[in-house]
Amino acid sequence: LSRGLGDVYKRQNTDSLKIGTNKIICTAKGNNGLEASSQFDIIRSTTYNKTAVFFEDSITKRYGSKSHNYSWANYIGDNYDLKYSLNRGKSGWRVSNTDNNYINNLVLKERGNKYDFVILHGGCNDIGNDVALGKISSSYDPKTFDDQTFIGGLEKYLYTVVTQWPKARIGYIINYSTPNNRIRPVAKSSIYYAEMRKVLKKWNVPYLDLFNGVAFDGRSYSTILSVDTNRYLPDTLHLNDEGYKVISPYIYGWMQTLNQWKDPR
């Protein structure tokens, strides 16, 4: 397995290896002097040598990490094939513009910087502070978004992202379930995330549903993260270092499925 080049191939008992533009040819010589060759297609990851920025709250900011210096943004940047990964998470920041800590302002600060992947997150602080849910606008005009509400703020957040990086691969991570958290219980969070999915669909932004989704291996993300225990969520909300390590490969795998954003307007 070759990770450094971003090309995946298997090689066994080979005497020579020839790498072409789109093919790998492996040739092996047996004890009887006969040669055999096998040809493999090169599979190049979509993240290879690309840049990514992660906009989120304390969960991306790595609040739960022992060193406060490690989250899925950092893990993916350090262990996979991205050229560069920027963690733009800030503790306490919201999807709504209700407490002078609006995630959209973090997006605006990156204006002019190019990114191939723009990965979004957010909503936990809005839910925890009982921000008004709001309604989905029938328009794509930002003047019609009430950013004092959760939904209006989310639409403004998405509008700013797709306006600044219309050719990027854009995706949203819906937060995992927090059943033991008293101010963000599953029943309450479900209402917000149900509307969030509708907004993301409207804006043609694919999402990774850690809340009630199922991974490629057939397990729910809630099971993978053992959300009903304190194994990975010691404070019932934030992931610890081990939690980030467990979930990051799934996020990286999902990133491989993202395509360039297509404008639905």
Side-chain angles (χ1 to χ4, degrees):
L1 176 67
S2 173
R3 285 177 51 190
L5 293 175
D7 300 326
V8 179
Y9 63 89
K10 290 184 178 180
R11 180 165 62 95
Q12 187 175 16
N13 299 325
T14 57
D15 296 321
S16 66
L17 179 65
K18 184 185 296 183
I19 302 178
T21 304
N22 298 306
K23 305 286 184 181
I24 296 176
I25 300 173
C26 300
T27 302
K29 181 182 291 186
N31 294 331
N32 58 5
L34 298 177
E35 290 188 355
S37 296
S38 296
Q39 182 172 280
F40 301 89
D41 291 331
I42 295 176
I43 303 172
R44 174 154 295 191
S45 77
T46 59
T47 52
Y48 172 62
N49 207 33
K50 303 297 185 182
T51 58
V53 60
F54 291 75
F55 291 105
E56 307 171 26
D57 49 35
S58 59
I59 292 171
T60 274
K61 183 61 178 176
R62 63 227 179 219
Y63 180 84
S65 170
K66 289 182 180 179
S67 62
H68 284 212
N69 195 35
Y70 206 75
S71 80
W72 53 51
N74 304 86
Y75 185 95
I76 291 170
D78 290 345
N79 291 280
Y80 294 101
D81 55 359
L82 286 164
K83 179 180 181 180
Y84 178 71
S85 175
L86 176 65
N87 185 332
R88 259 308 204 165
K90 290 200 71 171
S91 298
W93 283 51
R94 305 181 184 181
V95 165
S96 60
N97 188 16
T98 51
D99 194 33
N100 198 33
N101 52 4
Y102 187 19
I103 289 179
N104 193 61
N105 293 332
L106 297 179
V107 177
L108 291 170
K109 288 183 179 179
E110 291 299 315
R111 184 188 288 122
N113 294 328
K114 181 183 179 299
Y115 297 104
D116 300 298
F117 287 80
V118 181
I119 308 301
L120 313 176
H121 178 262
C124 291
N125 294 309
D126 303 84
I127 296 169
N129 287 279
D130 296 312
V131 169
L133 183 60
K135 296 181 179 180
I136 302 175
S137 171
S138 60
S139 167
Y140 291 93
D141 184 347
K143 294 179 181 178
T144 66
F145 308 151
D146 180 3
D147 64 10
Q148 296 291 301
T149 68
F150 177 76
I151 293 302
L154 177 60
E155 291 219 66
K156 185 67 174 293
Y157 181 21
L158 296 174
Y159 169 83
T160 304
V161 168
V162 302
T163 299
Q164 292 186 188
W165 300 289
K167 296 183 178 180
R169 298 171 189 255
I170 301 169
Y172 203 106
I173 299 173
I174 298 178
N175 201 58
Y176 45 82
S177 176
T178 56
N180 295 329
N181 190 279
R182 295 181 179 179
I183 63 174
R184 301 172 184 84
V186 172
K188 181 180 177 183
S189 299
S190 294
I191 298 171
Y192 286 80
Y193 293 147
E195 294 303 302
M196 173 181 278
R197 294 183 192 96
K198 295 177 184 177
V199 174
L200 294 171
K201 184 176 181 180
K202 170 186 173 180
W203 284 89
N204 202 24
V205 173
Y207 55 85
L208 177 63
D209 192 348
L210 298 183
F211 189 76
N212 62 11
V214 176
F216 64 86
D217 58 11
R219 294 188 297 161
S220 71
Y221 293 110
S222 292
T223 297
I224 292 167
L225 286 172
S226 302
V227 297
D228 56 347
T229 74
N230 64 356
R231 181 179 181 183
Y232 300 127
L233 282 72
D235 66 355
T236 74
L237 175 62
H238 299 95
L239 292 171
N240 57 19
D241 290 322
E242 289 305 310
Y244 284 122
K245 291 178 182 178
V246 165
I247 201 61
S248 291
Y250 291 94
I251 296 175
Y252 172 75
W254 165 71
M255 289 174 66
Q256 301 301 316
T257 71
L258 298 178
N259 296 312
Q260 181 178 313
W261 181 73
K262 294 183 179 180
D263 195 335
R265 293 172 288 186

